[in-house]
């Protein structure tokens, strides 16, 4: 995996973790739309990652089951 892909994955993980921590510390009382910008950034990063991995779309990347034959995936 290239460095650029690893950095994108790390950014996505960091943003998702930040949302989880904020929800946990705020007891779920964030105002409506508080995370909209963060989710848009996550979507943008996923689209870039899918493009770098030569997928036609983010959905194709997320639902790719290649390599799951021996890993115990339920599908």
């Amino acid at each position: 995996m290239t460095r650029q892909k690893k950095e994108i994955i790390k950014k996505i993980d960091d943003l998702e973790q930040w949302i989880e921590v904020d929800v946990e510390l705020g007891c779920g009382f964030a105002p409506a739309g508080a995370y909209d910008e963060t989710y848009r950034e996550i979507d943008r990063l996923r689209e870039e990652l899918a493009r770098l991995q030569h997928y036609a779309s983010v959905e194709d990347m997320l639902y790719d089951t290649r390599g799951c034959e021996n890993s115990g995936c339920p599908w």
Side-chain angles (χ1 to χ4, degrees), residues 41-57:
E41 178 67 11
I42 290 171
D43 290 342
R44 187 191 67 74
L45 289 168
R46 283 187 178 146
E47 288 172 4
E48 185 177 348
L49 182 61
R51 183 184 54 79
L52 288 172
Q53 292 181 339
H54 307 288
Y55 287 101
S57 68

Side-chain angles (χ1 to χ4, degrees), residues 4-5 7-16 37-53 58 61:
Q4 186 177 11
K5 292 176 193 175
E7 288 176 359
I8 291 171
I9 292 169
K10 177 151 177 40
K11 285 179 189 176
I12 291 170
D13 289 343
D14 289 347
L15 289 170
E16 289 175 339
E37 188 63 35
T38 307
Y39 282 123
R40 278 193 286 276
E41 178 67 11
I42 290 171
D43 290 342
R44 187 191 67 74
L45 289 168
R46 283 187 178 146
E47 288 172 4
E48 185 177 348
L49 182 61
R51 183 184 54 79
L52 288 172
Q53 292 181 339
V58 174
M61 177 183 71

Side-chain angles (χ1 to χ4, degrees), residues 64-75:
D64 186 8
T65 59
R66 291 179 290 176
C68 289
E69 295 84 18
N70 298 320
S71 67
C73 292
W75 51 89

